[in-house]
Amino acid sequence: MVQAHSRIYGSGFVTGEVLVPNERMTMICDTTSEWIRERSGIEQRYFVNEGTGTSDLALGAAHKALANAGWQASEVDYIVVATMTPDYYFPGVASLVQAKLGIGNVPSLDIRQQCSGFVYGLQVCDAFIRAGVAKKILFIGAEIHSGFMPFSKHGWDVVMGRSNEPVTQEERDWNSKFRHLTVLFGDAAGAICVGTTDDPKRGILGFALHSDGKDFESLYVPSAGFKYRPYYSEEHIREGRFVPVMEGRNVFKMAVTKMPEAVHEVLAKCELKLDDVNLLIPHQANLRISEGVQKQLKLGDDRIYNNIQRYGNTTAATIPIAYDECKKSGKVKQGDLVAFCGLGAGFHWGAALMRE
Ligand code: ACO
């Protein structure tokens, strides 16, 4: 008898409401469209209007995934949300999504594994299904990064295309301190419906996940932590310590090394070979990182998917968005072997393997 395991029944995504091309970022800090495109591949991103929360984007993506799966919201028996940018410090986003969906008091869980949120969350969903804890899980990766960005109200009006009035030199200098980071991120949510199946030919096959906290300072937010008393202070705001600190080169090096390793590891665990993989969907952190992973794994262009050009890095949302695009365009077909991989703050990293 084949053991019940999990498979993806549907997917969907939404972005922030406002499309922001690179040119708008050049109006508020010292950067150029060429620098952003050449170093990261990014041409545009979407930001939410102020007032939209991560739970709102998560809800939009959830509705789309449920419709795609043909599931009623009332059938969902567990909600898992991966996010590093919740609406509030606490509670997390999952219970807000449960309430907004208007469904019964199903359990809901937040996980915070940043850019590895999708691969980690998928393992949680798969384990819940295999253990009989749940049968129909709504799993969402959602982020609003614009809240990290230290722009003034006028700076935001310029970014969002509501004003062409230049920012002051003082503001431009301040914004430029964070330019290596602010140009990379976008706001979006992607959702999938993970359900039980006993079809031996389809479903989630395995995982290779890891973490190493010794270099956490390569990518972290210094303020708003309970190591400080109070956990948030005027000094932190004045010094811009609410903006993530990122040692880009170290993150880059880790990503191009650890993601290919994890793909090899999960393939070995599942007794499959790289040649068997039809498509790799990597976390979209930087097009150069994806190209590095592609090179390490010696994959042709048709066996890796990238869309960072259009959305920027949306952390836990990048993989479900890319998966949804691949499904809808026919790039992922039934029977295909699909690998997912990611690396992010923590550091956490890993890969997952699935037969569509
Ligand atoms: N525009 C123009 N110039 C810039 C910008 C910008 N936006 N940002 C940095 N520069 C300058 C730097 O000041 C530096 O100038 P200098 O040579 O005069 O000192 C020069 O460009 C090179 O800077 P580097 O940081 O060395 O540039 P690098 O080629 O490493 O690219 C980047 C930077 C794009 C950030 C890259 O390191 C990267 O993508 N790293 C990984 C990022 C990532 O994946 N983050 C993880 C996800 S986040 C998460 O998990 C939550």
Side-chain angles (χ1 to χ4, degrees):
M1 201 180 88
V2 181
Q3 198 205 348
H5 55 285
S6 70
R7 87 166 174 85
I8 301 178
Y9 283 83
S11 56
F13 75 93
V14 296
T15 64
E17 301 94 349
V18 181
L19 190 161
V20 177
N22 286 349
E23 290 70 26
R24 283 275 148 193
M25 302 305 283
T26 70
M27 293 168 75
I28 52 123
C29 69
D30 295 338
T31 190
T32 63
S33 299
E34 294 69 36
W35 192 97
I36 302 171
R37 197 175 335 105
E38 279 163 22
R39 301 290 177 121
S40 71
I42 297 164
E43 288 165 17
Q44 59 176 51
R45 78 285 292 139
Y46 294 83
F47 289 138
V48 293
N49 286 314
E50 195 174 354
T52 299
T54 299
S55 66
D56 299 311
L57 288 187
L59 183 72
H63 279 306
K64 290 198 171 180
L66 289 168
N68 183 240
W71 291 6
Q72 297 299 316
S74 56
E75 295 174 74
V76 169
D77 57 4
Y78 218 113
I79 298 170
V80 179
V81 179
T83 186
M84 55 176 258
T85 52
D87 295 25
Y88 307 105
Y89 194 93
F90 74 81
V93 167
S95 67
L96 307 189
V97 173
Q98 176 272 332
K100 287 180 182 185
L101 269 176
I103 60 175
N105 302 128
V106 299
S108 62
L109 176 74
D110 280 62
I111 65 158
R112 37 180 304 175
Q113 263 59 33
Q114 293 70 246
C115 293
S116 307
F118 182 82
V119 284
Y120 267 75
L122 193 62
Q123 187 183 51
V124 169
C125 295
D126 182 59
F128 281 174
I129 297 274
R130 286 176 190 271
V133 169
K135 286 192 163 54
K136 291 193 168 180
I137 306 177
L138 182 58
F139 173 35
I140 309 161
E143 306 288 358
I144 292 187
H145 289 303
S146 43
F148 279 134
M149 301 190 187
F151 313 147
S152 69
K153 187 174 176 319
H154 174 58
W156 270 116
D157 283 342
V158 175
V159 168
M160 301 295 254
R162 295 188 290 256
S163 169
N164 292 327
E165 189 80 28
V167 297
T168 62
Q169 187 58 45
E170 192 187 357
E171 180 172 354
R172 203 175 167 85
D173 292 345
W174 168 255
N175 293 343
S176 297
K177 281 171 68 171
F178 309 98
R179 63 182 179 173
H180 62 293
L181 196 99
T182 50
V183 299
L184 298 180
F185 292 95
D187 301 338
I192 57 171
C193 294
V194 187
T196 184
T197 181
D198 50 16
D199 183 345
K201 298 205 183 71
R202 303 186 75 179
I204 310 294
L205 301 175
F207 297 87
L209 302 184
H210 296 281
S211 50
D212 183 353
K214 77 174 177 313
D215 276 341
F216 80 91
E217 283 169 322
S218 292
L219 190 51
Y220 81 122
V221 179
S223 75
F226 289 85
K227 215 180 130 170
Y228 303 104
R229 197 171 294 163
Y231 79 104
Y232 213 103
S233 69
E234 273 179 41
E235 191 190 347
H236 285 169
I237 295 172
R238 218 174 23 252
E239 292 170 357
R241 299 182 71 187
F242 56 93
V243 184
V245 166
M246 182 175 79
E247 287 173 30
R249 290 197 171 188
N250 194 27
V251 177
F252 196 103
K253 210 168 64 202
M254 286 288 287
V256 294
T257 313
K258 297 298 181 190
M259 287 201 282
E261 275 176 23
V263 172
H264 281 302
E265 188 184 340
V266 75
L267 282 165
K269 274 189 181 176
C270 297
E271 299 180 351
L272 288 160
K273 300 188 301 299
L274 202 48
D275 283 348
D276 300 321
V277 175
N278 296 92
L279 190 69
L280 173 67
I281 302 182
H283 164 55
Q284 305 287 298
N286 182 324
L287 189 60
R288 302 284 96 82
I289 290 177
S290 291
E291 287 169 351
V293 170
Q294 178 181 0
K295 200 167 151 204
Q296 298 274 335
L297 294 173
K298 301 189 179 65
L299 298 175
D301 290 347
D302 58 333
R303 291 173 68 207
I304 184 160
Y305 189 74
N306 292 300
N307 63 8
I308 191 168
Q309 299 89 334
R310 287 174 281 129
Y311 306 109
N313 180 347
T314 60
T315 302
T318 68
I319 297 180
I321 293 174
Y323 171 73
D324 186 61
E325 289 192 339
C326 291
K327 280 287 290 179
K328 305 256 160 82
S329 68
K331 199 163 171 61
V332 166
K333 298 175 289 302
Q334 190 169 333
D336 282 355
L337 186 67
V338 181
F340 304 111
C341 64
L343 175 133
F347 284 104
H348 299 285
W349 68 94
L353 208 54
M354 176 187 82
R355 181 73 68 186
E356 178 63 36

